[in-house]
Amino acid sequence: MLSNMRYDTEALWAKDRDHIIHPWIDLGTAKTRQPLIIAESAGAHIYDSDGRRMLDGIGGMWCVNIGYAREEMVQAIADQIRSLCYYSPFGLISTPPSIEFGTRIAQYAPGDLKHVFFTTGGSTAVDSALRFVQFYFNFIGQPEKKHIITREYAYHGSTYLSASVSGKPGDRGLLDFVTDTVHHLPAPNPYRRPDGMTEAEFCDAKVKDLEDKILELGPERVACFIGEPLLASGGVIVPPTGYQRRTWEVCRKYDVLYISDEVVTGFGRLGEIFASEPVFDIVPDIITSAKGLTSGYVPLGAFFVSDRLYDRLTGPEGKGKYFTNGFTYSAHPVACAAGLKNLEIIERENILGHVRSTGPYFLERLKTLLDLPIVGDVRGSHMMVCVECVADKATKQPMPGDWDVAYRIIRHAMPRGLLVRPLSHMIVLSPPLTVNKTEIDQMVDILRASIRAVADELMREGLWRSAA
Ligand SMILES: Cc1ncc(COP(=O)(O)O)c(C=O)c1O
């Protein structure tokens, strides 16, 4: 244990059960659950309430990019609280940290995306971006441009609208969604492409899906396409090469705005502050950001919008027109001060360079797990990778959800010193960007032992039999 704090895990469990409603929890476990309680942290490691030290393969939730317990961050946040803990961002009021941070990150944004609208997290960034698009088309006299195209297995957030443009089938359960103006295309997942189709043909087909949908709806009715460059929470789906550029070209052709959701891919996870232009060769109309924006130390989100769009709204015609969207904690000065310090650390320590050189090693080492009999696919890029378990490698049949494969892997990995994120029959890795090669080797070794143990367990229980 790092500090002298002692935690009574059983007592915490009881209070948790009595009072806390968790996001994404199986409500059937509400009265019996014993959650993992993460109590402390340092560098790339977390400690649970019993003092167990684990490498954080999740990076909190794709967000603790600079690693934990940075004293400089503590200081910057404390200093800001001391000088100005909060002030309203509404109307004609601003604060120095939000002005300075907005200006600093706008320098990294591609093309003419030089204006930033701060929010409180990723969902509110996506929601605000979509509302901005609605506002824009209403403003310029094209109110019929209302339809939004997105993809299955996308994750864009948990407000009504951001959840509606998300597309993970498992999240559709008992909630309601906007359905009349939101359209989902099939996911561009090369691993699940039809047998016999090359990756290039698959790319053609997925680009055609978009073009066909725009033509079906009528380009004059389609407002925007929203996409994560890599579909993160959908299982780190890496679209076929050229897909992002070609879908962007289709949007340009039909005057459909392109929103690149970089909540996960931004701030270093792919080795760039914004991956859209340097990695995928696109300059979107809007980019959304959160998570690594402050490395998760304090909540913050943002969307960046092009001068091309913004300037149309801010001339004399804008007089008396209000973009009536925003939050009490938009552009929170403490969050912006944390963002400034986070960016300073990323630059000073050349964390982007570190990710560019270490990222390929991370993926290459994880791909060695493909020799395990239940590992069907290992995919990703740099510091975001997914390991997909299948019941049959030849047919790619996923392991059924009720086998709880991901949770089984975690149960074996934790005592060995690693926490990873479960996603049905997949596990996802998105560690702090500062992990070194020794820590990567440890992660891979622990995963190998854990997946092996799970395969043995499934065999013993008669659920699965090796084809070999
Ligand atoms: C790509 C993407 N967009 C948006 C969000 C929503 O962000 P938040 O949970 O901060 O609201 C997430 C969260 O994981 C995400 O992965």
Side-chain angles (χ1 to χ4, degrees):
M1 191 64 75
L2 281 178
S3 69
N4 295 326
M5 291 288 287
R6 288 287 172 273
Y7 305 91
D8 180 342
T9 301
E10 302 242 342
L12 288 169
W13 281 340
K15 291 180 200 165
D16 187 85
R17 282 192 296 263
D18 286 349
H19 300 292
I20 309 297
I21 305 175
H22 292 230
W24 267 265
I25 188 80
D26 177 344
L27 291 168
T29 66
K31 295 278 192 291
T32 55
R33 66 175 182 239
Q34 299 181 340
L36 172 65
I37 296 172
I38 303 298
E40 300 197 12
S41 60
H45 288 87
I46 44 176
Y47 296 75
D48 73 8
S49 50
D50 295 324
R52 182 166 45 186
R53 181 176 188 259
M54 291 174 282
L55 267 166
D56 183 15
I58 310 180
M61 176 97 128
W62 328 87
C63 59
V64 186
N65 290 6
I66 58 170
Y68 292 92
R70 293 271 195 161
E71 197 48 43
E72 293 178 77
M73 288 291 278
V74 176
Q75 201 56 52
I77 290 165
D79 288 348
Q80 183 57 46
I81 292 176
R82 218 172 278 119
S83 59
L84 178 71
C85 67
Y86 173 76
Y87 214 83
S88 159
F90 278 44
L92 283 175
I93 299 179
S94 203
T95 64
S98 61
I99 297 168
E100 296 299 345
F101 188 42
T103 307
R104 291 277 283 110
I105 31 176
Q107 286 158 10
Y108 279 101
D112 66 342
L113 274 75
K114 298 302 171 198
H115 288 94
V116 56
F117 184 93
F118 283 117
T119 70
T120 56
S123 305
T124 50
V126 168
D127 202 284
S128 296
L130 293 169
R131 297 193 80 204
F132 180 86
V133 169
Q134 290 171 346
F135 179 87
Y136 173 80
F137 284 118
N138 290 337
F139 185 108
I140 65 166
Q142 296 183 32
E144 68 287 357
K145 254 175 139 31
K146 282 282 177 288
H147 291 262
I148 303 167
I149 302 180
T150 178
R151 298 167 301 186
E152 289 164 2
Y153 290 93
Y155 183 73
H156 296 294
S158 191
T159 62
Y160 191 31
L161 192 51
S162 62
S164 298
V165 298
S166 299
K168 291 172 67 182
D171 291 349
R172 290 267 138 178
L174 295 175
L175 284 162
D176 294 336
F177 299 92
V178 177
T179 50
D180 54 344
T181 52
V182 175
H183 309 269
H184 290 82
L185 305 176
N189 184 353
Y191 181 60
R192 299 264 163 223
R193 70 184 184 272
D195 281 345
M197 189 182 259
T198 66
E199 206 167 310
E201 288 163 348
F202 182 63
C203 187
D204 293 344
K206 294 304 101 187
V207 175
K208 188 169 181 309
D209 285 348
L210 174 61
E211 185 154 15
D212 288 350
K213 181 55 78 180
I214 293 173
L215 292 173
E216 177 197 320
L217 294 166
E220 69 290 350
R221 297 171 67 229
V222 181
C224 65
F225 169 76
I226 180 163
E228 302 155 82
L230 308 187
L231 290 80
S233 303
V236 192
I237 295 171
V238 184
T241 309
Y243 169 87
Q244 293 87 352
R245 170 82 196 182
R246 288 178 59 196
T247 47
W248 175 81
E249 285 168 355
V250 167
C251 288
R252 278 277 173 279
K253 179 171 165 191
Y254 294 106
D255 190 25
V256 167
L257 299 180
Y258 192 108
I259 304 177
S260 185
D261 184 352
E262 291 229 39
V263 164
V264 170
T265 53
F267 281 80
R269 200 147 285 287
L270 296 184
E272 303 288 345
I273 293 294
F274 297 107
S276 290
E277 190 178 33
V279 181
F280 302 106
D281 195 19
I282 57 173
V283 178
D285 297 287
I286 294 177
I287 293 180
T288 48
S289 179
K291 296 192 188 272
L293 192 59
T294 55
S295 281
Y297 277 67
V298 228
L300 186 67
F303 77 78
F304 297 82
V305 61
S306 64
D307 294 343
R308 186 173 76 90
L309 300 190
Y310 186 66
D311 288 351
R312 286 197 68 174
L313 311 176
T314 48
E317 289 159 66
K319 191 162 169 35
K321 302 206 171 89
Y322 289 78
F323 179 47
T324 47
N325 178 84
F327 312 94
T328 298
Y329 299 129
S330 292
H332 196 295
V334 176
C336 290
L340 274 166
K341 183 55 76 178
N342 181 54
L343 190 57
E344 182 192 316
I345 292 171
I346 291 175
E347 288 170 343
R348 194 183 61 230
E349 296 184 5
N350 188 20
I351 289 179
L352 302 180
H354 175 73
V355 172
R356 282 183 217 136
S357 63
T358 319
Y361 180 76
F362 187 47
L363 184 60
E364 181 193 303
R365 289 289 285 112
L366 283 165
K367 278 196 186 260
T368 61
L369 300 175
L370 279 165
D371 66 0
L372 295 170
I374 62 170
V375 175
D377 196 23
V378 176
R379 56 175 175 264
S381 179
H382 295 79
M383 291 298 170
M384 51 190 296
V385 180
C386 172
V387 177
E388 177 162 354
C389 293
V390 290
D392 183 330
K393 283 199 185 208
T395 62
K396 302 181 181 174
Q397 186 199 334
M399 294 222 157
D402 59 2
W403 291 7
D404 266 345
V405 173
Y407 278 103
R408 286 177 190 252
I409 293 172
I410 288 171
R411 276 199 293 275
H412 285 280
M414 284 195 331
R416 292 176 163 94
L418 173 67
L419 187 62
V420 290
R421 177 161 176 211
L423 271 182
S424 159
H425 61 293
M426 302 178 277
I427 52 164
V428 164
L429 292 111
S430 56
L433 307 182
T434 48
V435 284
N436 58 36
K437 288 190 172 172
T438 309
E439 288 163 338
I440 288 173
D441 290 343
Q442 278 168 10
M443 282 193 242
V444 177
D445 291 348
I446 293 173
L447 271 182
R448 173 171 287 281
S450 306
I451 296 171
R452 265 216 184 104
V454 171
D456 291 347
E457 212 173 85
L458 293 171
M459 204 139 51
R460 271 200 310 277
E461 291 172 23
L463 290 171
W464 171 82
R465 215 151 34 93
S466 170

